[in-house]
Protein backbone atom coordinates (compact mmCIF):
# COMPACT_ATOMS: atom_id res chain seq x y z
CA UNK A 1 0.00 0.00 0.00
CA UNK A 2 2.93 2.32 0.71
CA UNK A 3 4.36 1.93 -2.77
CA UNK A 4 0.95 2.39 -4.40
CA UNK A 5 0.38 5.77 -2.68
CA UNK A 6 3.73 7.12 -3.83
CA UNK A 7 3.06 5.90 -7.38
CA UNK A 8 -0.27 7.71 -7.47
CA UNK A 9 1.27 11.01 -6.34
CA UNK A 10 3.34 11.19 -9.55
CA UNK A 11 0.37 10.75 -11.88
CA UNK A 12 -0.42 14.08 -13.54
CA UNK A 13 -3.91 15.37 -12.91
CA UNK A 14 -5.72 18.13 -14.83
CA UNK A 15 -7.20 19.59 -11.63
CA UNK A 16 -4.02 19.62 -9.55
CA UNK A 17 -2.33 22.98 -9.15
CA UNK A 18 0.61 23.41 -6.80
CA UNK A 19 -0.05 25.77 -3.91
CA UNK A 20 1.62 29.17 -3.89
CA UNK A 21 3.47 29.78 -0.61
CA UNK A 22 1.79 32.41 1.61
CA UNK A 23 4.84 34.71 1.50
CA UNK A 24 4.80 34.76 -2.29
CA UNK A 25 1.07 35.39 -2.32
CA UNK A 26 1.46 38.32 0.09
CA UNK A 27 4.17 39.81 -2.12
CA UNK A 28 1.89 39.56 -5.14
CA UNK A 29 -0.96 41.23 -3.25
CA UNK A 30 1.33 44.03 -2.06
CA UNK A 31 2.63 44.56 -5.59
CA UNK A 32 -0.91 44.71 -7.00
CA UNK A 33 -1.91 47.26 -4.35
CA UNK A 34 1.15 49.37 -5.09
CA UNK A 35 0.50 49.37 -8.84
CA UNK A 36 -3.18 50.20 -8.30
CA UNK A 37 -2.46 53.11 -5.99
CA UNK A 38 0.22 54.49 -8.32
CA UNK A 39 -2.25 54.45 -11.22
CA UNK A 40 -4.73 56.46 -9.15
CA UNK A 41 -2.29 59.38 -8.88
CA UNK A 42 -1.09 59.37 -12.49
CA UNK A 43 -1.93 62.56 -14.38
CA UNK A 44 -5.02 62.30 -16.53
CA UNK A 45 -4.73 62.71 -20.26
CA UNK A 46 -6.23 66.00 -21.36
CA UNK A 47 -7.02 66.77 -24.93
CA UNK A 48 -7.29 70.26 -26.29
CA UNK A 49 -10.93 71.19 -26.53
CA UNK A 50 -12.24 73.71 -28.97
CA UNK A 51 -15.65 75.25 -28.98
CA UNK A 52 -17.74 76.51 -31.83
CA UNK A 53 -19.48 78.90 -29.45
CA UNK A 54 -16.87 81.63 -29.57
CA UNK A 55 -19.55 83.96 -30.90
CA UNK A 56 -21.35 83.82 -27.54
CA UNK A 57 -18.30 84.17 -25.25
CA UNK A 58 -19.06 87.82 -24.54
CA UNK A 59 -22.69 87.22 -23.52
CA UNK A 60 -23.96 87.75 -20.00
CA UNK A 61 -23.39 84.57 -17.95
CA UNK A 62 -20.21 83.40 -19.67
CA UNK A 63 -17.70 83.10 -16.83
CA UNK A 64 -13.95 82.55 -16.73
CA UNK A 65 -13.48 78.86 -15.87
CA UNK A 66 -16.01 77.48 -18.36
CA UNK A 67 -16.72 80.32 -20.72
CA UNK A 68 -20.06 79.92 -22.46
CA UNK A 69 -21.59 76.69 -21.09
CA UNK A 70 -23.89 74.76 -23.43
CA UNK A 71 -23.94 71.15 -22.16
CA UNK A 72 -26.71 69.94 -24.49
CA UNK A 73 -25.26 71.54 -27.61
CA UNK A 74 -28.41 73.53 -28.35
CA UNK A 75 -26.41 76.35 -29.91
CA UNK A 76 -23.81 74.39 -31.89
CA UNK A 77 -25.17 75.55 -35.24
CA UNK A 78 -27.15 78.56 -34.00
CA UNK A 79 -27.04 82.19 -35.01
CA UNK A 80 -27.61 85.28 -32.86
CA UNK A 81 -31.40 85.18 -33.37
CA UNK A 82 -31.62 81.62 -32.06
CA UNK A 83 -29.46 82.56 -29.07
CA UNK A 84 -31.65 85.58 -28.30
CA UNK A 85 -34.81 83.44 -28.51
CA UNK A 86 -33.44 80.79 -26.14
CA UNK A 87 -32.20 83.47 -23.74
CA UNK A 88 -35.68 85.09 -23.74
CA UNK A 89 -37.38 81.74 -23.03
CA UNK A 90 -34.86 80.96 -20.28
CA UNK A 91 -35.48 84.28 -18.56
CA UNK A 92 -39.25 83.99 -18.95
CA UNK A 93 -39.57 80.44 -17.58
CA UNK A 94 -36.60 80.40 -15.21
Amino acid sequence: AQQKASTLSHIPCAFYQPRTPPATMMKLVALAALVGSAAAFAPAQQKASTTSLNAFESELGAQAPLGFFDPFGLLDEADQDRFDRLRYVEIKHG
Side-chain angles (χ1 to χ4, degrees):
Q2 188 74 287
Q3 187 179 7
K4 194 173 192 176
S6 65
T7 307
L8 291 177
S9 66
H10 296 297
I11 297 174
C13 179
F15 301 108
Y16 174 73
Q17 293 180 356
R19 289 188 165 264
T20 305
T24 306
M25 184 64 78
M26 289 300 292
K27 288 178 185 177
L28 288 174
V29 169
L31 179 65
L34 181 64
V35 169
S37 64
F41 292 103
Q45 296 292 331
Q46 295 179 359
K47 66 177 187 174
S49 63
T50 60
T51 179
S52 62
L53 301 174
N54 290 333
F56 305 122
E57 287 292 326
S58 62
E59 293 293 333
L60 182 65
Q63 297 179 355
L66 296 176
F68 181 74
F69 186 63
D70 183 27
F72 296 117
L74 297 173
L75 297 172
D76 285 344
E77 302 294 324
D79 57 353
Q80 188 65 39
D81 291 332
R82 173 81 174 146
F83 176 83
D84 292 339
R85 170 71 180 145
L86 289 175
R87 177 60 59 98
Y88 168 77
V89 171
E90 178 184 13
I91 292 171
K92 179 179 179 184
H93 296 289

